[in-house]
């Protein structure tokens, strides 16, 4: 009986520590997303209107990308619906072509309608090489338009990458 109690207590403590670690990881990601949104708005004040009016958006505050011939990128983000956090997202990307180097950037994807956001939540949105992202600069959002219900902005954080490649991004949504 003492062994059973010890196992139960150990399991409870381990679960509590794992939950705390996950909570700390989520808190860090949420804070990074808030800071990333502020950086986008700082760069282009007109983007505040997009954050306020979009049916939803996902922000990936830290995407790492690298390649030599074949490349890849990955990042985690938070999904918002009408400004409220609803879940996590993971982005992965594979590219092929002339490329060399590495970089870090942030990305925000705005969803024009609830239907488009719902497709994202069902993991039914992927971006091919034809999807274009707008580099976030002062005034960039003034003329940006939704294409197939989404609008994508990126913002370089660091690194150097030479690239002439094709590829696509895949996403995985997990509700809170």
């Amino acid at each position: 009986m003492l062994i059973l109690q010890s196992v139960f207590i150990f399991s409870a403590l381990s679960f509590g520590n794992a939950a705390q670690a996950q909570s700390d990881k989520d808190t860090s990601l949420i804070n990074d997303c808030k800071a990333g949104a502020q950086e986008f708005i700082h760069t282009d004040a007109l983007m505040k209107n997009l954050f306020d009016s979009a049916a939803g958006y996902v922000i990936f505050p830290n995407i790492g990308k690298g390649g030599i011939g074949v490349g890849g990128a990955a990042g985690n983000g938070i999904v918002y619906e009408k400004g409220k956090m609803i879940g996590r997202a993971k982005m992965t990307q594979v590219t092929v072509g002339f490329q060399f180097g590495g970089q870090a950037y942030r990305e925000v994807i705005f969803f024009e309608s609830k239907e488009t956001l719902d497709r994202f939540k069902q993991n039914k949105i992927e971006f091919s090489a034809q999807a274009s992202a707008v580099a976030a600069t002062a005034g960039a959002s003034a003329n940006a338009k939704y294409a197939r219900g989404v609008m994508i902005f990126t913002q370089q954080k660091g690194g150097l990458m030479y690239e002439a490649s094709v590829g696509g991004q895949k996403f995985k949504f997990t509700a809170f």
Side-chain angles (χ1 to χ4, degrees):
M1 186 66 170
L2 183 58
I3 294 173
L4 186 58
Q5 288 175 335
S6 297
V7 168
F8 177 75
I9 291 170
F10 178 76
S11 296
L13 291 174
S14 295
F15 179 75
N17 288 340
Q20 180 63 39
Q22 186 63 35
S23 176
D24 290 345
K25 188 176 177 183
D26 285 346
T27 300
S28 178
L29 180 59
I30 290 166
N31 289 337
D32 287 349
C33 287
K34 288 178 183 176
Q38 290 305 311
E39 283 297 317
F40 276 111
I41 293 168
H42 176 70
T43 300
D44 182 357
L46 297 175
M47 285 187 77
K48 180 163 181 8
N49 294 332
L50 291 173
F51 281 102
D52 292 342
S53 65
Y57 60 91
V58 57
I59 186 163
F60 298 96
N62 298 301
I63 296 176
K65 180 178 184 178
I68 300 175
V70 175
N76 294 306
I78 299 292
V79 181
Y80 297 80
E81 185 170 8
K82 292 291 185 187
K84 180 184 172 208
M85 289 183 289
I86 61 167
R88 287 179 221 84
K90 181 170 184 68
M91 184 280 291
T92 55
Q93 175 179 312
V94 176
T95 53
V96 178
F98 175 76
Q99 54 194 322
F100 180 78
Q103 70 180 147
Y105 64 99
R106 64 179 57 95
E107 179 173 293
V108 62
I109 304 167
F110 293 100
F111 302 103
E112 185 175 27
S113 66
K114 181 175 179 356
E115 292 77 23
T116 308
L117 175 61
D118 288 345
R119 278 196 354 239
F120 181 86
K121 293 185 325 188
Q122 296 164 5
N123 300 314
K124 292 183 178 176
I125 290 188
E126 295 179 8
F127 296 133
S128 65
Q130 291 80 27
S132 61
V134 176
T137 58
S141 66
N143 296 316
K145 303 279 186 241
Y146 283 98
R148 295 186 180 158
V150 297
M151 191 179 329
I152 312 163
F153 289 90
T154 62
Q155 190 174 54
Q156 175 110 6
K157 294 176 69 176
L160 182 61
M161 186 151 185
Y162 299 98
E163 182 175 27
S165 63
V166 295
Q169 292 184 342
K170 291 185 135 199
F171 304 93
K172 179 167 176 32
F173 171 77
T174 307
F176 282 136

